[in-house]
């Protein structure tokens, strides 16, 4: 996806003591099916060493993050066409993030810049096994202040797949903007993709999180959920029980439900069939962004073959590809910096196939 960015335009934003000019790129690779990602874009501060608390960390490395933005970059890095819709602060970090999306060939013409709220920050603790704990600075942050009137509706209407999480459902006005964007995409014939991406500390209470996440559940065509999220959403039920998944989480309009199991791979459920695709083994360094890389791998395959979920063989191949995307991401620190290229994924798949012979 090189050299196909069109419609470069300058957004002149007046705020504070100086005027800023942000470069945004219009729709990239117009001939390719487009994945539009909606939600938060922020800065992750990751300790330079693993296995320490935030207080013990000697230093932090800043990395762009935010699940929907990670997915957008992931799709682009795999050779697909993607766009991001969301809001950052009218500040140095906000412009840095807009530029990072542009550098990664993500259409950022749906980005907005807030003069009164800062770009969100998250400090991420990496435990010895590469798992994470989060401390967020969002009081409020700019992503929470996106208004429905600021939506780039033309961009959303172009989406073959419209992807989102649940963090944008926590606060108004972003919640209303999120629901409006979903409605625009659905009416335009987009397939709706949902990764709840539970971040409990950001919600007022566990009950509010459960209710908020489930409030849009039955509108989605594709849902990716983790084992921990199943346990949370079902009130403690066994995430490995197919009956629990089918009775409590599968809904009549759902085309594909995927349950990720970390390094073990994933399970899939459609109206016609269900199964499991094992992962590949790697040495984890940082699991930040692994789920987003998985989603980007799956959506990139789906965008060019929207009937994929109807053919179990093609679906299993796409899920193995997505598993490898997730696995490669955990071998480096930070989400966006570690998202793999299509070449890297195919190389890993070939090695995986050779090792099984």
């Amino acid at each position: 996806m090189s050299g196909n960015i069109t419609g470069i335009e300058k957004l002149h934003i007046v705020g504070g003591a100086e005027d800023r000019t942000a470069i945004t790129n219009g729709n990239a690779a117009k001939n390719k099916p487009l994945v539009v990602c909606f939600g938060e874009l922020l800065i992750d501060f990751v300790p330079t060493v693993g296995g320490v608390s935030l207080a013990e960390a000697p230093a932090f490395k800043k990395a762009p993050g935010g699940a929907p933005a990670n997915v957008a970059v992931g799709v682009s890095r795999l050779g697909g066409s993607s766009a991001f819709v969301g809001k950052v602060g009218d500040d140095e970090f906000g412009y840095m993030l807009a530029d990072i999306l542009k550098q990664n060939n993500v259409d950022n013409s749906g980005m907005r810049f807030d003069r009164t709220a800062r770009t969100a920050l998250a400090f991420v603790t990496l435990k010895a096994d590469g798992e994470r704990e989060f401390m967020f600075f969002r009081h409020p942050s700019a992503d929470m202040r996106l208004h429905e009137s600021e939506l780039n509706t033309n961009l959303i209407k172009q989406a073959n797949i419209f992807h989102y999480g649940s963090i944008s459902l926590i606060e108004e006005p972003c919640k209303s903007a999120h629901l409006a964007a979903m409605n625009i995409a659905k009416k335009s014939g987009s397939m709706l993709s949902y990764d709840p991406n539970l971040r409990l500390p950001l919600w007022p209470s566990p009950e509010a999180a459960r209710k908020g996440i489930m409030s849009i559940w039955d509108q989605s065509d594709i849902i990716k959920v983790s084992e921990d999220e199943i346990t949370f959403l079902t009130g403690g039920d066994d995430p490995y029980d197919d009956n629990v998944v089918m009775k409590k989480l599968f809904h009549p309009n759902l085309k594909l439900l995927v349950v990720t199991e970390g390094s073990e791979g994933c399970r899939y459920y459609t109206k016609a069939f269900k199964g499991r695709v094992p992962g590949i083994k790697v040495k984890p360094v940082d699991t930040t962004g692994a789920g987003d890389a998985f989603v980007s791998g799956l959506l990139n395959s789906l965008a060019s073959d929207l009937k994929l979920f109807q053919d179990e063989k093609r679906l299993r191949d796409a899920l193995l590809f997505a598993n490898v995307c997730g696995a490669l991401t955990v071998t480096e620190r930070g989400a966006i910096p570690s998202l793999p290229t299509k070449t890297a994924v195919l190389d890993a798949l070939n090695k995986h196939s050779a090792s099984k012979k």
Side-chain angles (χ1 to χ4, degrees), residues 52-64:
V52 297
S53 68
L54 291 176
E56 293 166 340
F60 294 89
K61 177 185 174 184
K62 74 176 186 296

Side-chain angles (χ1 to χ4, degrees), residues 69-143:
N70 293 344
V71 172
V73 173
V75 168
S76 177
R77 205 163 284 173
L78 291 169
S81 181
S82 65
F84 175 77
V85 175
K87 202 172 196 184
V88 292
D90 177 16
D91 53 42
E92 292 293 333
F93 284 145
Y95 291 98
M96 183 191 92
L97 291 169
D99 197 49
I100 285 169
L101 290 186
K102 185 165 72 76
Q103 288 167 14
N104 282 280
N105 290 330
V106 175
D107 182 334
N108 65 6
S109 60
M111 284 186 70
R112 301 294 179 259
F113 300 81
D114 196 289
R115 295 181 217 167
T116 58
R118 296 292 190 197
T119 301
L121 309 178
F123 285 81
V124 187
T125 309
L126 296 180
K127 294 186 284 189
D129 60 359
E131 286 298 326
R132 307 144 297 157
E133 291 176 356
F134 295 88
M135 183 164 73
F136 293 95
F137 286 75
R138 299 172 82 242
H139 307 292
S141 54
D143 59 287

Side-chain angles (χ1 to χ4, degrees), residues 189-202:
S190 306
M191 190 174 283
L192 300 189
S193 165
Y194 186 22
D195 176 3
N197 198 37
L198 176 66
R199 294 288 178 263
L200 209 46
L202 295 178

